[in-house]
Amino acid sequence: MFNVQALLDSLPMMGYGMLGIFIAVAVIILTVVVLGKIFPVKK
């Protein structure tokens, strides 16, 4: 059967995982933007 209490108990851990993924993606995007400013594309 579906255990609702187990789902509710695991929500904080899933939230931390989603937060970690969001932070990692934000750091990668920020790094790409900063590198683009430091080394602009020459035309």
Side-chain angles (χ1 to χ4, degrees):
M1 298 299 292
F2 185 70
N3 190 347
V4 176
Q5 189 60 41
L7 175 67
L8 294 176
D9 290 341
S10 65
L11 279 177
M13 187 178 299
M14 288 188 278
Y16 288 132
M18 292 293 286
L19 182 65
I21 292 170
F22 177 76
I23 290 172
V25 169
V27 167
I28 291 170
I29 291 172
L30 185 64
T31 303
V32 169
V33 169
V34 169
L35 286 174
K37 300 275 186 191
I38 294 174
F39 303 108
V41 177
K42 297 177 183 175
K43 292 184 179 181

mmCIF file of all heavy atoms in Angstrom:
data_model
loop_
_atom_site.group_PDB
_atom_site.id
_atom_site.type_symbol
_atom_site.label_atom_id
_atom_site.label_comp_id
_atom_site.label_asym_id
_atom_site.label_seq_id
_atom_site.Cartn_x
_atom_site.Cartn_y
_atom_site.Cartn_z
ATOM 1 N N MET A 1 0.836 -1.195 0.000
ATOM 2 C CA MET A 1 0.000 0.000 0.000
ATOM 3 C C MET A 1 0.877 1.253 0.000
ATOM 4 O O MET A 1 2.061 1.212 0.314
ATOM 5 C CB MET A 1 -0.882 0.014 1.248
ATOM 6 C CG MET A 1 -1.854 -1.162 1.360
ATOM 7 S SD MET A 1 -3.055 -1.306 0.030
ATOM 8 C CE MET A 1 -4.068 0.099 0.288
ATOM 9 N N PHE A 2 0.252 2.363 -0.333
ATOM 10 C CA PHE A 2 0.944 3.651 -0.376
ATOM 11 C C PHE A 2 1.044 4.221 1.032
ATOM 12 O O PHE A 2 0.045 4.378 1.719
ATOM 13 C CB PHE A 2 0.171 4.598 -1.294
ATOM 14 C CG PHE A 2 0.865 5.905 -1.512
ATOM 15 C CD1 PHE A 2 2.019 5.964 -2.265
ATOM 16 C CD2 PHE A 2 0.363 7.067 -0.965
ATOM 17 C CE1 PHE A 2 2.667 7.156 -2.477
ATOM 18 C CE2 PHE A 2 1.001 8.268 -1.169
ATOM 19 C CZ PHE A 2 2.156 8.319 -1.931
ATOM 20 N N ASN A 3 2.273 4.516 1.461
ATOM 21 C CA ASN A 3 2.502 5.005 2.813
ATOM 22 C C ASN A 3 2.681 6.522 2.774
ATOM 23 O O ASN A 3 3.742 7.029 2.400
ATOM 24 C CB ASN A 3 3.741 4.325 3.406
ATOM 25 C CG ASN A 3 3.884 4.598 4.879
ATOM 26 O OD1 ASN A 3 3.219 5.467 5.424
ATOM 27 N ND2 ASN A 3 4.768 3.851 5.523
ATOM 28 N N VAL A 4 1.644 7.250 3.176
ATOM 29 C CA VAL A 4 1.675 8.713 3.135
ATOM 30 C C VAL A 4 2.688 9.253 4.130
ATOM 31 O O VAL A 4 3.396 10.212 3.838
ATOM 32 C CB VAL A 4 0.265 9.282 3.409
ATOM 33 C CG1 VAL A 4 0.289 10.800 3.466
ATOM 34 C CG2 VAL A 4 -0.710 8.812 2.347
ATOM 35 N N GLN A 5 2.796 8.643 5.294
ATOM 36 C CA GLN A 5 3.722 9.130 6.317
ATOM 37 C C GLN A 5 5.175 9.014 5.838
ATOM 38 O O GLN A 5 5.984 9.902 6.100
ATOM 39 C CB GLN A 5 3.533 8.353 7.628
ATOM 40 C CG GLN A 5 4.307 8.948 8.792
ATOM 41 C CD GLN A 5 3.890 10.380 9.087
ATOM 42 O OE1 GLN A 5 2.711 10.715 9.046
ATOM 43 N NE2 GLN A 5 4.870 11.223 9.366
ATOM 44 N N ALA A 6 5.502 7.958 5.138
ATOM 45 C CA ALA A 6 6.856 7.816 4.599
ATOM 46 C C ALA A 6 7.142 8.909 3.573
ATOM 47 O O ALA A 6 8.254 9.449 3.518
ATOM 48 C CB ALA A 6 7.033 6.438 3.972
ATOM 49 N N LEU A 7 6.157 9.246 2.760
ATOM 50 C CA LEU A 7 6.317 10.322 1.789
ATOM 51 C C LEU A 7 6.555 11.651 2.505
ATOM 52 O O LEU A 7 7.466 12.403 2.143
ATOM 53 C CB LEU A 7 5.082 10.422 0.894
ATOM 54 C CG LEU A 7 5.071 11.600 -0.088
ATOM 55 C CD1 LEU A 7 6.161 11.435 -1.132
ATOM 56 C CD2 LEU A 7 3.721 11.743 -0.741
ATOM 57 N N LEU A 8 5.755 11.932 3.513
ATOM 58 C CA LEU A 8 5.908 13.187 4.246
ATOM 59 C C LEU A 8 7.241 13.244 4.985
ATOM 60 O O LEU A 8 7.843 14.319 5.103
ATOM 61 C CB LEU A 8 4.747 13.377 5.222
ATOM 62 C CG LEU A 8 3.368 13.569 4.578
ATOM 63 C CD1 LEU A 8 2.290 13.658 5.648
ATOM 64 C CD2 LEU A 8 3.347 14.796 3.686
ATOM 65 N N ASP A 9 7.720 12.108 5.480
ATOM 66 C CA ASP A 9 9.008 12.070 6.174
ATOM 67 C C ASP A 9 10.171 12.298 5.213
ATOM 68 O O ASP A 9 11.218 12.811 5.609
ATOM 69 C CB ASP A 9 9.193 10.736 6.894
ATOM 70 C CG ASP A 9 8.261 10.600 8.084
ATOM 71 O OD1 ASP A 9 7.753 11.633 8.573
ATOM 72 O OD2 ASP A 9 8.033 9.447 8.512
ATOM 73 N N SER A 10 10.011 11.918 3.954
ATOM 74 C CA SER A 10 11.108 12.049 2.989
ATOM 75 C C SER A 10 11.108 13.393 2.268
ATOM 76 O O SER A 10 12.082 13.712 1.576
ATOM 77 C CB SER A 10 11.039 10.920 1.970
ATOM 78 O OG SER A 10 9.869 11.037 1.201
ATOM 79 N N LEU A 11 10.065 14.195 2.414
ATOM 80 C CA LEU A 11 10.000 15.477 1.715
ATOM 81 C C LEU A 11 11.161 16.414 2.051
ATOM 82 O O LEU A 11 11.712 17.047 1.142
ATOM 83 C CB LEU A 11 8.664 16.156 1.976
ATOM 84 C CG LEU A 11 7.501 15.659 1.131
ATOM 85 C CD1 LEU A 11 6.209 16.366 1.541
ATOM 86 C CD2 LEU A 11 7.747 15.834 -0.338
ATOM 87 N N PRO A 12 11.565 16.558 3.310
ATOM 88 C CA PRO A 12 12.700 17.454 3.581
ATOM 89 C C PRO A 12 13.985 17.018 2.871
ATOM 90 O O PRO A 12 14.708 17.862 2.335
ATOM 91 C CB PRO A 12 12.870 17.384 5.101
ATOM 92 C CG PRO A 12 11.537 16.996 5.611
ATOM 93 C CD PRO A 12 10.956 16.096 4.562
ATOM 94 N N MET A 13 14.245 15.724 2.823
ATOM 95 C CA MET A 13 15.455 15.242 2.151
ATOM 96 C C MET A 13 15.374 15.519 0.651
ATOM 97 O O MET A 13 16.366 15.931 0.032
ATOM 98 C CB MET A 13 15.643 13.749 2.409
ATOM 99 C CG MET A 13 16.966 13.216 1.897
ATOM 100 S SD MET A 13 17.199 11.482 2.243
ATOM 101 C CE MET A 13 17.144 11.451 4.026
ATOM 102 N N MET A 14 14.196 15.329 0.064
ATOM 103 C CA MET A 14 14.033 15.629 -1.360
ATOM 104 C C MET A 14 14.191 17.122 -1.609
ATOM 105 O O MET A 14 14.749 17.535 -2.625
ATOM 106 C CB MET A 14 12.667 15.147 -1.840
ATOM 107 C CG MET A 14 12.558 13.647 -1.938
ATOM 108 S SD MET A 14 11.030 13.102 -2.717
ATOM 109 C CE MET A 14 9.884 13.195 -1.358
ATOM 110 N N GLY A 15 13.730 17.934 -0.678
ATOM 111 C CA GLY A 15 13.883 19.384 -0.801
ATOM 112 C C GLY A 15 15.341 19.793 -0.789
ATOM 113 O O GLY A 15 15.757 20.651 -1.580
ATOM 114 N N TYR A 16 16.135 19.186 0.116
ATOM 115 C CA TYR A 16 17.571 19.491 0.142
ATOM 116 C C TYR A 16 18.243 19.063 -1.157
ATOM 117 O O TYR A 16 19.130 19.757 -1.663
ATOM 118 C CB TYR A 16 18.247 18.800 1.327
ATOM 119 C CG TYR A 16 17.909 19.402 2.672
ATOM 120 C CD1 TYR A 16 17.533 18.598 3.744
ATOM 121 C CD2 TYR A 16 17.954 20.769 2.866
ATOM 122 C CE1 TYR A 16 17.217 19.137 4.975
ATOM 123 C CE2 TYR A 16 17.635 21.320 4.095
ATOM 124 C CZ TYR A 16 17.266 20.506 5.150
ATOM 125 O OH TYR A 16 16.958 21.055 6.364
ATOM 126 N N GLY A 17 17.827 17.958 -1.714
ATOM 127 C CA GLY A 17 18.394 17.507 -2.976
ATOM 128 C C GLY A 17 18.077 18.465 -4.115
ATOM 129 O O GLY A 17 18.956 18.810 -4.916
ATOM 130 N N MET A 18 16.823 18.923 -4.170
ATOM 131 C CA MET A 18 16.442 19.880 -5.206
ATOM 132 C C MET A 18 17.187 21.203 -5.020
ATOM 133 O O MET A 18 17.616 21.823 -5.991
ATOM 134 C CB MET A 18 14.929 20.126 -5.161
ATOM 135 C CG MET A 18 14.110 18.923 -5.578
ATOM 136 S SD MET A 18 14.300 18.519 -7.310
ATOM 137 C CE MET A 18 13.343 19.829 -8.023
ATOM 138 N N LEU A 19 17.359 21.624 -3.782
ATOM 139 C CA LEU A 19 18.103 22.856 -3.502
ATOM 140 C C LEU A 19 19.556 22.716 -3.935
ATOM 141 O O LEU A 19 20.128 23.638 -4.524
ATOM 142 C CB LEU A 19 18.020 23.185 -2.007
ATOM 143 C CG LEU A 19 18.721 24.466 -1.566
ATOM 144 C CD1 LEU A 19 18.051 25.688 -2.201
ATOM 145 C CD2 LEU A 19 18.693 24.578 -0.053
ATOM 146 N N GLY A 20 20.149 21.565 -3.682
ATOM 147 C CA GLY A 20 21.528 21.326 -4.095
ATOM 148 C C GLY A 20 21.687 21.365 -5.601
ATOM 149 O O GLY A 20 22.653 21.931 -6.129
ATOM 150 N N ILE A 21 20.736 20.773 -6.317
ATOM 151 C CA ILE A 21 20.780 20.804 -7.786
ATOM 152 C C ILE A 21 20.636 22.234 -8.283
ATOM 153 O O ILE A 21 21.362 22.679 -9.179
ATOM 154 C CB ILE A 21 19.680 19.893 -8.371
ATOM 155 C CG1 ILE A 21 19.995 18.431 -8.068
ATOM 156 C CG2 ILE A 21 19.520 20.117 -9.866
ATOM 157 C CD1 ILE A 21 18.858 17.482 -8.379
ATOM 158 N N PHE A 22 19.719 22.994 -7.695
ATOM 159 C CA PHE A 22 19.513 24.382 -8.094
ATOM 160 C C PHE A 22 20.774 25.208 -7.869
ATOM 161 O O PHE A 22 21.169 26.000 -8.736
ATOM 162 C CB PHE A 22 18.344 24.979 -7.300
ATOM 163 C CG PHE A 22 18.107 26.438 -7.584
ATOM 164 C CD1 PHE A 22 17.483 26.836 -8.758
ATOM 165 C CD2 PHE A 22 18.512 27.398 -6.674
ATOM 166 C CE1 PHE A 22 17.266 28.177 -9.025
ATOM 167 C CE2 PHE A 22 18.304 28.741 -6.933
ATOM 168 C CZ PHE A 22 17.673 29.133 -8.106
ATOM 169 N N ILE A 23 21.430 25.027 -6.729
ATOM 170 C CA ILE A 23 22.657 25.775 -6.435
ATOM 171 C C ILE A 23 23.772 25.390 -7.415
ATOM 172 O O ILE A 23 24.496 26.254 -7.909
ATOM 173 C CB ILE A 23 23.077 25.546 -4.973
ATOM 174 C CG1 ILE A 23 22.082 26.230 -4.034
ATOM 175 C CG2 ILE A 23 24.494 26.048 -4.721
ATOM 176 C CD1 ILE A 23 22.289 25.916 -2.567
ATOM 177 N N ALA A 24 23.907 24.114 -7.715
ATOM 178 C CA ALA A 24 24.953 23.671 -8.643
ATOM 179 C C ALA A 24 24.727 24.260 -10.036
ATOM 180 O O ALA A 24 25.677 24.748 -10.671
ATOM 181 C CB ALA A 24 24.975 22.145 -8.707
ATOM 182 N N VAL A 25 23.491 24.267 -10.523
ATOM 183 C CA VAL A 25 23.195 24.834 -11.832
ATOM 184 C C VAL A 25 23.452 26.344 -11.823
ATOM 185 O O VAL A 25 24.007 26.892 -12.782
ATOM 186 C CB VAL A 25 21.744 24.505 -12.253
ATOM 187 C CG1 VAL A 25 21.336 25.296 -13.481
ATOM 188 C CG2 VAL A 25 21.597 23.021 -12.496
ATOM 189 N N ALA A 26 23.082 27.021 -10.739
ATOM 190 C CA ALA A 26 23.302 28.464 -10.651
ATOM 191 C C ALA A 26 24.798 28.786 -10.672
ATOM 192 O O ALA A 26 25.218 29.747 -11.327
ATOM 193 C CB ALA A 26 22.653 29.017 -9.383
ATOM 194 N N VAL A 27 25.615 27.984 -9.986
ATOM 195 C CA VAL A 27 27.064 28.206 -9.980
ATOM 196 C C VAL A 27 27.638 28.003 -11.379
ATOM 197 O O VAL A 27 28.491 28.783 -11.832
ATOM 198 C CB VAL A 27 27.743 27.278 -8.945
ATOM 199 C CG1 VAL A 27 29.247 27.253 -9.137
ATOM 200 C CG2 VAL A 27 27.387 27.717 -7.534
ATOM 201 N N ILE A 28 27.189 26.980 -12.086
ATOM 202 C CA ILE A 28 27.676 26.729 -13.446
ATOM 203 C C ILE A 28 27.294 27.889 -14.365
ATOM 204 O O ILE A 28 28.124 28.379 -15.149
ATOM 205 C CB ILE A 28 27.130 25.390 -13.973
ATOM 206 C CG1 ILE A 28 27.763 24.231 -13.197
ATOM 207 C CG2 ILE A 28 27.385 25.247 -15.468
ATOM 208 C CD1 ILE A 28 27.131 22.892 -13.461
ATOM 209 N N ILE A 29 26.059 28.357 -14.285
ATOM 210 C CA ILE A 29 25.619 29.472 -15.132
ATOM 211 C C ILE A 29 26.417 30.725 -14.803
ATOM 212 O O ILE A 29 26.873 31.443 -15.704
ATOM 213 C CB ILE A 29 24.105 29.713 -14.965
ATOM 214 C CG1 ILE A 29 23.320 28.554 -15.570
ATOM 215 C CG2 ILE A 29 23.684 31.038 -15.589
ATOM 216 C CD1 ILE A 29 21.833 28.599 -15.297
ATOM 217 N N LEU A 30 26.613 31.011 -13.519
ATOM 218 C CA LEU A 30 27.387 32.181 -13.105
ATOM 219 C C LEU A 30 28.821 32.092 -13.606
ATOM 220 O O LEU A 30 29.384 33.086 -14.080
ATOM 221 C CB LEU A 30 27.354 32.309 -11.579
ATOM 222 C CG LEU A 30 28.014 33.549 -10.993
ATOM 223 C CD1 LEU A 30 27.269 34.798 -11.441
ATOM 224 C CD2 LEU A 30 28.049 33.463 -9.485
ATOM 225 N N THR A 31 29.416 30.917 -13.543
ATOM 226 C CA THR A 31 30.780 30.725 -14.035
ATOM 227 C C THR A 31 30.863 30.983 -15.540
ATOM 228 O O THR A 31 31.796 31.651 -16.008
ATOM 229 C CB THR A 31 31.261 29.294 -13.720
ATOM 230 O OG1 THR A 31 31.172 29.071 -12.316
ATOM 231 C CG2 THR A 31 32.682 29.086 -14.180
ATOM 232 N N VAL A 32 29.900 30.497 -16.297
ATOM 233 C CA VAL A 32 29.894 30.709 -17.742
ATOM 234 C C VAL A 32 29.750 32.200 -18.054
ATOM 235 O O VAL A 32 30.440 32.725 -18.946
ATOM 236 C CB VAL A 32 28.771 29.885 -18.406
ATOM 237 C CG1 VAL A 32 28.575 30.288 -19.854
ATOM 238 C CG2 VAL A 32 29.080 28.407 -18.292
ATOM 239 N N VAL A 33 28.876 32.898 -17.336
ATOM 240 C CA VAL A 33 28.679 34.327 -17.573
ATOM 241 C C VAL A 33 29.954 35.103 -17.250
ATOM 242 O O VAL A 33 30.382 35.962 -18.026
ATOM 243 C CB VAL A 33 27.485 34.848 -16.743
ATOM 244 C CG1 VAL A 33 27.432 36.370 -16.754
ATOM 245 C CG2 VAL A 33 26.186 34.270 -17.275
ATOM 246 N N VAL A 34 30.596 34.799 -16.121
ATOM 247 C CA VAL A 34 31.822 35.499 -15.730
ATOM 248 C C VAL A 34 32.932 35.222 -16.739
ATOM 249 O O VAL A 34 33.662 36.146 -17.140
ATOM 250 C CB VAL A 34 32.243 35.094 -14.299
ATOM 251 C CG1 VAL A 34 33.637 35.583 -13.986
ATOM 252 C CG2 VAL A 34 31.246 35.634 -13.283
ATOM 253 N N LEU A 35 33.076 33.986 -17.160
ATOM 254 C CA LEU A 35 34.100 33.673 -18.159
ATOM 255 C C LEU A 35 33.804 34.368 -19.488
ATOM 256 O O LEU A 35 34.736 34.781 -20.198
ATOM 257 C CB LEU A 35 34.204 32.160 -18.365
ATOM 258 C CG LEU A 35 34.889 31.393 -17.239
ATOM 259 C CD1 LEU A 35 34.788 29.889 -17.495
ATOM 260 C CD2 LEU A 35 36.335 31.795 -17.104
ATOM 261 N N GLY A 36 32.543 34.523 -19.828
ATOM 262 C CA GLY A 36 32.172 35.254 -21.043
ATOM 263 C C GLY A 36 32.536 36.720 -20.948
ATOM 264 O O GLY A 36 32.895 37.350 -21.952
ATOM 265 N N LYS A 37 32.443 37.307 -19.750
ATOM 266 C CA LYS A 37 32.827 38.704 -19.575
ATOM 267 C C LYS A 37 34.345 38.861 -19.593
ATOM 268 O O LYS A 37 34.862 39.841 -20.118
ATOM 269 C CB LYS A 37 32.289 39.242 -18.239
ATOM 270 C CG LYS A 37 30.812 39.200 -18.108
ATOM 271 C CD LYS A 37 30.161 40.408 -18.715
ATOM 272 C CE LYS A 37 28.658 40.358 -18.404
ATOM 273 N NZ LYS A 37 27.921 41.329 -19.151
ATOM 274 N N ILE A 38 35.071 37.914 -19.017
ATOM 275 C CA ILE A 38 36.531 38.004 -18.943
ATOM 276 C C ILE A 38 37.147 37.758 -20.315
ATOM 277 O O ILE A 38 38.083 38.457 -20.712
ATOM 278 C CB ILE A 38 37.074 36.998 -17.907
ATOM 279 C CG1 ILE A 38 36.620 37.371 -16.509
ATOM 280 C CG2 ILE A 38 38.591 36.937 -17.974
ATOM 281 C CD1 ILE A 38 36.982 36.352 -15.446
ATOM 282 N N PHE A 39 36.649 36.770 -21.025
ATOM 283 C CA PHE A 39 37.193 36.397 -22.337
ATOM 284 C C PHE A 39 36.106 36.548 -23.401
ATOM 285 O O PHE A 39 35.496 35.565 -23.812
ATOM 286 C CB PHE A 39 37.696 34.952 -22.325
ATOM 287 C CG PHE A 39 38.725 34.674 -21.271
ATOM 288 C CD1 PHE A 39 38.408 33.908 -20.153
ATOM 289 C CD2 PHE A 39 40.018 35.161 -21.399
ATOM 290 C CE1 PHE A 39 39.348 33.640 -19.173
ATOM 291 C CE2 PHE A 39 40.974 34.905 -20.437
ATOM 292 C CZ PHE A 39 40.639 34.156 -19.317
ATOM 293 N N PRO A 40 35.854 37.785 -23.861
ATOM 294 C CA PRO A 40 34.795 37.965 -24.867
ATOM 295 C C PRO A 40 35.174 37.326 -26.208
ATOM 296 O O PRO A 40 36.348 37.163 -26.519
ATOM 297 C CB PRO A 40 34.688 39.487 -25.000
ATOM 298 C CG PRO A 40 35.996 40.004 -24.517
ATOM 299 C CD PRO A 40 36.507 39.026 -23.510
ATOM 300 N N VAL A 41 34.150 36.973 -26.987
ATOM 301 C CA VAL A 41 34.349 36.356 -28.283
ATOM 302 C C VAL A 41 34.836 37.426 -29.262
ATOM 303 O O VAL A 41 34.216 38.499 -29.365
ATOM 304 C CB VAL A 41 33.042 35.720 -28.788
ATOM 305 C CG1 VAL A 41 33.235 35.130 -30.172
ATOM 306 C CG2 VAL A 41 32.571 34.657 -27.806
ATOM 307 N N LYS A 42 35.924 37.143 -29.945
ATOM 308 C CA LYS A 42 36.470 38.094 -30.916
ATOM 309 C C LYS A 42 35.813 37.863 -32.273
ATOM 310 O O LYS A 42 35.707 36.733 -32.737
ATOM 311 C CB LYS A 42 37.975 37.929 -31.025
ATOM 312 C CG LYS A 42 38.691 38.238 -29.735
ATOM 313 C CD LYS A 42 40.180 37.984 -29.860
ATOM 314 C CE LYS A 42 40.851 38.228 -28.508
ATOM 315 N NZ LYS A 42 42.270 37.897 -28.540
ATOM 316 N N LYS A 43 35.390 38.961 -32.896
ATOM 317 C CA LYS A 43 34.726 38.844 -34.203
ATOM 318 C C LYS A 43 35.621 39.360 -35.301
ATOM 319 O O LYS A 43 36.427 40.192 -35.162
ATOM 320 C CB LYS A 43 33.414 39.619 -34.201
ATOM 321 C CG LYS A 43 32.404 38.989 -33.286
ATOM 322 C CD LYS A 43 31.076 39.731 -33.372
ATOM 323 C CE LYS A 43 30.071 39.047 -32.456
ATOM 324 N NZ LYS A 43 28.774 39.698 -32.500
#
